[in-house]
């Protein structure tokens, strides 16, 4: 066999003693997944690869593994539905009609899995422990003066920051001049209304601007220029309307739906675990700690 590569750092004698791999035949790649079999029923590689399109992942191997688990779970449920002679009429949904197999799986779960209802006490307890989730967002009424400079314009940003500092000093002595100074210096169209941005809620502005608003009190001028990708801002917070916690009565049904959805997932996962425990599954570890049964 002829060597196609010579290491220049080795002597000729040393070269002769090296057993280099053949470059004529490329090494065979390791398969992403082996044969997957559920109680003697093989799930085809073609079906797994097609299902992988529905499982976004960091790499193709993870997507294929997730697809294989999903198809194994489906096969387990279908086999159990057939064993119980379960047949159901497909239902029509907004995203299309069920298949007969999907309908059988749905009916199987409805018959075999007991999903407890959430009581009012459970809903109230969840509400009391998670009140922040049921509060309306605060509203800010703010004005600003923008000294514009792009992220890559280092010299322009340095000048903009210096000018913003100078104007802040003017405003600290004469705050009533904000609108006039906005008209003179601001690069934002809001200068036509004295820099007024109207009412702002979460997500209305870039994160840096939003963080500055959250730290300010009504009637306060920002103590230093606020840097964003647009340049430097001087902010005046005209008014702040705190968020209100929604009454329990307004969110009780939403909480009940959340709790029952969580119960459904847990109960179905436990049911699938029981089926998997009594099944013969080859090619994949369905009961591993990193293998969620219900997603």
């Amino acid at each position: 066999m002829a060597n196609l590569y010579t290491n220049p750092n080795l002597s000729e004698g040393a070269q002769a003693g090296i057993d280099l791999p053949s470059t004529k035949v490329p090494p065979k790649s390791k398969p992403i997944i082996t044969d997957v079999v559920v109680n003697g029923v093989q799930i085809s590689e073609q079906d797994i690869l097609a299902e992988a399109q529905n499982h976004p992942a960091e790499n193709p191997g993870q997507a294929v593994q997730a697809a294989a688990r999903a198809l194994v779970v489906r096969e387990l449920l279908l086999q159990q539905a057939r064993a119980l002679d379960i047949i159901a009429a497909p239902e029509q949904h907004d995203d299309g009609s069920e298949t007969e197999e999907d309908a059988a799986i749905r009916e199987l779960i409805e018959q075999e899995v007991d999903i407890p209802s959430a009581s009012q006490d459970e809903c109230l307890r969840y509400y009391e422990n998670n009140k922040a989730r049921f509060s309306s967002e605060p509203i800010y009424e703010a004005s600003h003066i923008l000294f514009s400079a792009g992220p890559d314009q280092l010299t322009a940003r340095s000048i903009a920051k210096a000018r913003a500092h100078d104007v802040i000093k003017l405003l600290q002595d004469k705050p009533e001049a904000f609108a006039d100074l906005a008209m003179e210096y601001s690069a934002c169209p809001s200068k036509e209304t004295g820099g007024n941005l109207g009412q702002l809620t979460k997500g209305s502005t870039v994160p840096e601007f939003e963080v500055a608003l959250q730290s300010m009190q009504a009637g306060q001028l920002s103590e230093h220029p606020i840097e964003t990708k647009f340049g430097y801002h001087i902010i005046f917070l005209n008014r702040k309307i705190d968020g209100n916690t929604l009454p329990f009565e307004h969110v009780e049904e939403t909480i009940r739906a959340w709790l029952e959805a969580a119960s459904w997932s847990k109960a179905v996962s436990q049911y699938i675990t029981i089926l998997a425990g009594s099944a013969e599954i080859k090619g994949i570890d369905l009961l591993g700690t990193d293998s969620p049964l219900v997603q």
Side-chain angles (χ1 to χ4, degrees):
M1 178 184 72
N3 288 330
L4 301 183
Y5 172 75
T6 300
N7 189 334
N9 296 320
L10 295 178
S11 65
E12 182 175 353
Q15 296 279 3
I18 296 176
D19 185 15
L20 294 177
S22 170
T23 58
K24 294 181 179 180
V25 180
K28 186 176 181 180
S29 61
K30 184 179 179 180
I32 294 178
I33 194 165
T34 57
D35 291 341
V36 178
V37 183
V38 182
N39 292 325
V41 177
Q42 183 167 352
I43 299 175
S44 72
E45 182 180 8
Q46 182 179 357
D47 287 343
I48 293 174
L49 293 177
E51 174 66 19
Q53 308 304 314
N54 301 320
H55 298 269
E58 293 182 359
N59 58 66
Q62 290 180 359
V64 168
Q65 290 290 329
R69 286 194 294 269
L71 291 179
V72 166
V73 168
R74 179 179 174 82
E75 181 61 31
L76 280 171
L77 293 171
L78 282 173
Q79 289 182 14
Q80 184 67 7
R82 295 186 188 109
L84 297 177
D85 294 323
I86 291 177
I87 300 175
E91 293 182 351
Q92 186 69 35
H93 301 294
D94 293 339
D95 56 353
S97 178
E98 282 183 318
T99 65
E100 291 184 0
E101 290 184 344
D102 289 336
I105 290 174
R106 171 177 49 77
E107 185 66 22
L108 169 70
I109 292 173
E110 289 179 0
Q111 289 186 19
E112 297 294 303
V113 181
D114 182 25
I115 311 297
S117 299
S119 68
Q120 186 178 54
D121 287 344
E122 290 171 324
C123 293
L124 182 59
R125 185 161 55 249
Y126 185 89
Y127 172 81
E128 294 293 343
N129 293 333
N130 298 274
K131 280 191 174 181
R133 300 188 64 176
F134 306 106
S135 296
S136 59
E137 297 291 344
I139 299 174
Y140 304 94
E141 293 182 2
S143 300
H144 82 140
I145 301 172
L146 170 62
F147 297 85
S148 179
D152 300 327
Q153 299 173 316
L154 300 183
T155 300
R157 288 184 80 83
S158 179
I159 295 172
K161 184 177 182 180
R163 288 179 175 172
H165 273 295
D166 290 341
V167 173
I168 286 177
K169 292 179 181 178
L170 292 175
L171 288 169
Q172 288 172 342
D173 293 331
K174 196 175 181 182
E176 67 274 11
F178 192 97
D180 292 335
L181 292 173
M183 176 65 76
E184 182 177 354
Y185 290 105
S186 184
C188 178
S190 65
K191 68 179 183 179
E192 301 294 338
T193 56
N196 194 312
L197 294 171
Q199 293 189 340
L200 304 171
T201 55
K202 186 176 181 179
S204 298
T205 66
V206 291
E208 301 88 346
F209 198 102
E210 191 170 287
V211 169
L213 288 176
Q214 292 170 354
S215 66
M216 296 173 66
Q217 300 297 322
Q220 183 180 355
L221 179 75
S222 56
E223 296 179 355
H224 55 81
I226 307 302
E227 182 179 6
T228 72
K229 63 182 179 180
F230 301 108
Y232 288 87
H233 309 253
I234 299 173
I235 302 175
F236 183 79
L237 183 57
N238 304 301
R239 184 184 179 200
K240 179 179 179 180
I241 304 172
D242 292 325
N244 295 318
T245 301
L246 299 173
F248 172 69
E249 293 76 16
H250 289 193
V251 296
E252 180 179 358
E253 289 306 313
T254 298
I255 294 174
R256 179 171 285 106
W258 288 351
L259 294 179
E260 291 180 356
S263 295
W264 184 93
S265 294
K266 183 177 181 180
V268 172
S269 181
Q270 291 172 343
Y271 182 66
I272 293 170
T273 299
I274 292 171
L275 294 180
S278 60
E280 183 181 359
I281 301 173
K282 299 179 181 179
I284 195 165
D285 181 12
L286 194 64
L287 299 178
T289 56
D290 296 328
S291 301
L293 297 179
V294 177
Q295 299 180 12

